[in-house]
Amino acid sequence: MARVFVYGTLKKGQPNYKHMINTAKGLAKFQGRGRTVEKYPLVIAGKYNIPYMLNIPGTGHHVAGEIYSVDDQMLQFLDEFEGCPDMYQRTLMRIEVVEWEGKGGAGEARPAAEGVVECFVYSTMTYPPEWVGLPYHDSYDSSGKHGLSYVLRESR
């Protein structure tokens, strides 16, 4: 099992959460909520209003999201879903645990004493330079006050 941190449309209550609970795509077990230890710019960009975490450590906000434990099948699905490695790149990042629900099952490590875990995160280094000038968010909600509603793939 691998740990994945999701900050956008795959979170609970967001448009693509259905994929995280679809066991035909693999297993994803909610572990808790967290935020990036380092600051990153989280922008909403493109004609479909997609959330992107730009891989520019030290700029932006501590981005809030959810921590999941996923099996290899789900990780492979997420790689394909996120357009990895072209649109997003899957990298390890340090995530500060804000709230932990993970049940300490066999082989499942609880967060370290300082409450920081390493998770795979889908961020991007391949973005148009003008995205750096977009507003930065610390948390994503597809129906947030930014007014940029996410366009589902099936509606594009």
Side-chain angles (χ1 to χ4, degrees):
M1 300 289 277
R3 281 203 180 117
V4 175
F5 176 76
V6 299
Y7 57 84
T9 66
L10 291 167
K11 295 187 307 184
K12 289 180 182 179
Q14 297 304 308
N16 289 317
Y17 177 67
K18 61 188 178 223
H19 299 302
M20 297 299 284
I21 54 175
N22 182 347
T23 53
K25 294 184 163 114
L27 188 66
K29 200 168 127 196
F30 178 76
Q31 298 286 287
R33 294 182 311 107
R35 61 186 194 156
T36 58
V37 169
E38 289 201 68
K39 293 180 177 183
Y40 290 92
L42 171 59
V43 300
I44 301 169
K47 62 182 175 180
Y48 303 122
N49 297 321
I50 298 171
Y52 293 92
M53 185 189 302
L54 308 183
N55 199 336
I56 310 172
T59 302
H61 301 285
H62 299 283
V63 177
E66 298 172 348
I67 302 165
Y68 288 84
S69 186
V70 302
D71 65 7
D72 289 343
Q73 184 184 349
M74 179 58 80
L75 194 60
Q76 185 177 349
F77 165 78
L78 290 172
D79 278 355
E80 291 169 21
F81 182 80
E82 300 289 12
C84 186
D86 301 325
M87 192 157 108
Y88 292 94
Q89 296 79 47
R90 174 165 48 96
T91 57
L92 277 173
M93 288 186 186
R94 295 173 66 234
I95 304 299
E96 176 190 353
V97 175
V98 174
E99 184 181 297
W100 189 255
E101 286 186 16
K103 312 287 184 271
E108 211 174 289
R110 290 195 54 81
E114 69 275 13
V116 173
V117 293
E118 278 209 331
C119 298
F120 284 122
V121 180
Y122 292 91
S123 62
T124 185
M125 291 180 255
T126 52
Y127 53 86
E130 60 270 18
W131 286 10
V132 177
L134 294 171
Y136 297 164
H137 304 272
D138 60 357
S139 182
Y140 175 79
D141 183 342
S142 65
S143 55
K145 59 181 184 243
H146 49 70
L148 302 167
S149 295
Y150 175 78
V151 179
L152 287 167
R153 288 182 185 198
E154 46 269 31
S155 303
R156 297 178 190 169

